[in-house]
Amino acid sequence: MSGFGWKLHGDGRSLSPGEVVRPDERLSWTRTIGLGAQHVVSMIGACFVAPVLMGLDPSLGLMASGVATLLFMVITRGRIPSYLGSSLSFVGVAAVIRTQGGGPAQLTGALFVVGLALAAVGVVVQFLGARVIHAVLPPAVTGAVVMLIGFNLAPVTASTYWPQDQWTALATMMFTGLALVVLRGFWSRIAIFLGLIFGYLLSWMLDLTAGKIHSADAGGKVVDHWRLDLTPVKEADWIGFPDLHAPSFSASAIIVALPVLIALVAENTGHIKAVGEMTGDPLDDRIGTAIMADGAATMISTVAGGPATTTYAENIGVMAATRVYSTAAYMCAAFFALLFGLCPKFGAVVAAIPGGVLGGITVILYGMIGLLGAQIWIRNKVDFSQPLNLIPAAAGVIVGVGGVSLKITDNFELNGIALGTILVLTGYHSLRWLSKAAGTDRPALLDGGLTEYDDQKES
């Protein structure tokens, strides 16, 4: 697609089972706007949580995500369906910077530098071609990275959301799964949104009929609390502008943040490859542009005091569930985010979504994201009978999912996605080089195709 100008898919209303809406297509504007709203709902929890955990303004984070997504769409010319939300990769970085005496300004300054470095990497990749990414991130690696990105989110569901109301979480999960399988046409495409509404109403009814629940609250403390607390909604203003601040640059903070660049490149590449797999339209020629766009978006966000941005796995999960890949829906979502960022009351409504409801929804969404990694392996026929493929992927996924940490210094450690990604990358290429040195030769790194690159058959 050379630019914006979406074609109407069919009659814009009805969709056959298994039918997909491509990035350059759209449904009727009413349905497209509804899908945009669903994308906002799916990402808004993490988009609010990430800034809060880092000590930044969540309303600014939401508004910045809208600006970032619009910028991403312009730079990629509307070809890549992806939402840029607040990155959770820097939560640990923020904690370390705080222990060093730094504040929000030092944090956003460090994130700005990371965004600049990410944009530079994107330019290099775009200049040299996607074959460089193929060499560094073949299917055995990208599948593992996508999988650990999805499954790394599992502890969030298990320890934060689900314990707040396990029965509502279970009911929401079952309703959402049923809606995805049983409903037809447009209704099946917004099943995630329907699941959230169902859980919201169920929590409200249980509060009316059963009273308070004795369970963990959002902070993890076991107390008696309402499932649905609308007090912040009543107190919130209708219109308000987020607080802005300029970044401040500290060498120690930048050093702490820069290693996350490795994870961001892998995360962006994994997400873009996942979208390409889902849409059936390989996006290898746009990987560099997408990475550059994310870096530029992070710079725009952080220069105003907002968080770093990244392509959101939650929205990829929504696309996997709906099979609607229209970038028009993402444009609508971006405008919603901009408007909602100016409405503290809306933010309060979204923030009031009960934890149990989010628990039920995220069980499905995060699982879908993780299994996209397996889909990459299957489609590219990655042979796990070969230790070269098996060992790095196995180690990286377990480290990423399990939250294993590697302490480098007193003030810096690698863990989760970053450590898992490094293990997969270095493990694969180190073993590949050693295998070649030992006489079990493999095709050249910069060959023409992904499947051939990982063909382990003996000649």
Side-chain angles (χ1 to χ4, degrees):
M1 185 170 66
S2 60
F4 302 107
W6 300 276
K7 298 176 293 186
L8 188 66
H9 180 89
D11 61 3
R13 296 189 301 273
S14 58
L15 293 170
S16 302
E19 192 175 2
V20 302
V21 178
R22 298 179 61 79
D24 61 345
E25 298 177 328
R26 66 171 177 84
L27 297 176
S28 67
W29 280 115
T30 301
R31 288 166 172 77
T32 298
I33 291 171
L35 287 164
Q38 176 172 271
H39 275 297
V40 171
V41 171
S42 69
M43 67 82 190
I44 205 165
C47 206
F48 262 92
V49 168
V52 169
L53 294 177
M54 291 187 286
L56 302 175
D57 185 349
S59 292
L60 178 58
L62 181 59
M63 181 181 291
S65 76
V67 174
T69 301
L70 290 174
L71 179 63
F72 183 88
M73 290 294 161
V74 170
I75 294 177
T76 61
R77 300 184 65 83
R79 184 178 172 186
I80 302 174
S82 189
Y83 194 93
L84 297 190
S86 305
S87 175
L88 283 161
S89 298
F90 294 95
V91 171
V93 169
V96 173
I97 291 175
R98 280 197 299 270
T99 63
Q100 295 178 344
Q106 286 71 32
L107 171 62
T108 51
L111 301 189
F112 179 89
V113 173
V114 174
L116 178 62
L118 186 63
V121 170
V123 171
V124 171
V125 171
Q126 192 64 25
F127 178 75
L128 296 179
R131 295 171 69 189
V132 174
I133 295 292
H134 296 168
V136 179
L137 298 169
V141 172
T142 53
V145 171
V146 172
M147 180 170 284
L148 68 88
I149 286 172
F151 292 163
N152 178 260
L153 297 170
V156 176
T157 296
S159 61
T160 302
Y161 296 140
W162 193 280
Q164 294 183 44
D165 188 352
Q166 60 177 355
W167 296 111
T168 296
L170 181 62
T172 302
M173 180 193 72
M174 294 176 66
F175 176 88
T176 305
L178 184 66
L180 285 167
V181 174
V182 174
L183 295 181
R184 298 182 179 180
F186 176 74
W187 294 108
S188 68
R189 311 292 169 136
I190 61 169
I192 304 297
F193 186 59
L194 295 177
L196 285 169
I197 293 176
F198 168 83
Y200 210 103
L201 293 175
L202 177 61
S203 297
W204 175 66
M205 292 175 60
L206 287 174
D207 279 345
L208 289 178
T209 58
K212 292 184 177 181
I213 184 174
H214 184 74
S215 67
D217 60 11
K221 185 178 180 180
V222 178
V223 295
D224 291 328
H225 64 94
W226 297 109
R227 298 166 181 84
L228 178 61
D229 184 7
L230 297 177
T231 302
V233 178
K234 298 176 183 177
E235 297 175 348
D237 295 329
W238 281 102
I239 299 175
F241 199 83
D243 295 327
L244 307 180
H245 72 257
S248 175
F249 301 97
S250 163
S252 60
I254 292 171
I255 291 172
V256 168
L258 271 177
V260 181
L261 178 67
I262 299 172
L264 293 180
V265 173
E267 185 177 45
N268 272 274
T269 303
H271 285 185
I272 299 307
K273 282 182 171 291
V275 171
E277 291 282 339
M278 292 162 61
T279 61
D281 177 23
L283 297 170
D284 294 354
D285 62 323
R286 307 300 293 173
I287 289 177
T289 302
I291 293 174
M292 179 181 63
D294 187 17
T298 290
M299 294 167 65
I300 293 294
S301 175
T302 54
V303 78
T309 63
T310 188
T311 52
Y312 253 30
E314 287 87 343
N315 298 92
I316 293 177
V318 170
M319 287 194 295
T322 63
R323 297 179 67 83
V324 175
Y325 309 116
S326 173
T327 54
Y330 281 97
M331 295 288 279
C332 292
F335 283 115
F336 273 128
L338 281 171
L339 292 175
F340 295 156
L342 294 172
C343 180
K345 192 171 286 293
F346 170 80
V349 170
V350 175
I353 294 176
V357 177
L358 292 175
I361 293 294
T362 54
V363 163
I364 294 176
L365 281 182
Y366 296 168
M368 283 182 171
I369 298 163
L371 290 178
L372 284 175
Q375 187 178 47
I376 291 174
W377 288 335
I378 292 169
R379 288 190 176 182
N380 289 280
K381 301 178 181 178
V382 177
D383 183 4
F384 282 108
S385 67
Q386 297 293 328
L388 173 60
N389 294 328
L390 177 64
I391 302 304
V397 169
I398 290 299
V399 165
V401 174
V404 176
S405 297
L406 182 65
K407 189 172 183 179
I408 308 299
T409 69
D410 290 339
N411 295 320
F412 176 68
E413 66 178 21
L414 290 169
N415 53 45
I417 293 174
L419 181 57
T421 298
I422 291 171
L423 284 180
V424 174
L425 278 169
T426 59
Y428 181 91
H429 291 291
S430 296
L431 290 176
R432 181 180 172 82
W433 182 84
L434 290 171
S435 176
K436 184 176 181 179
T440 53
D441 203 2
R442 298 290 184 267
L445 282 178
L446 297 178
D447 67 357
L450 289 174
T451 303
E452 179 186 354
Y453 179 83
D454 271 296
D455 186 1
Q456 307 297 326
K457 294 181 180 179
E458 297 291 340
S459 58

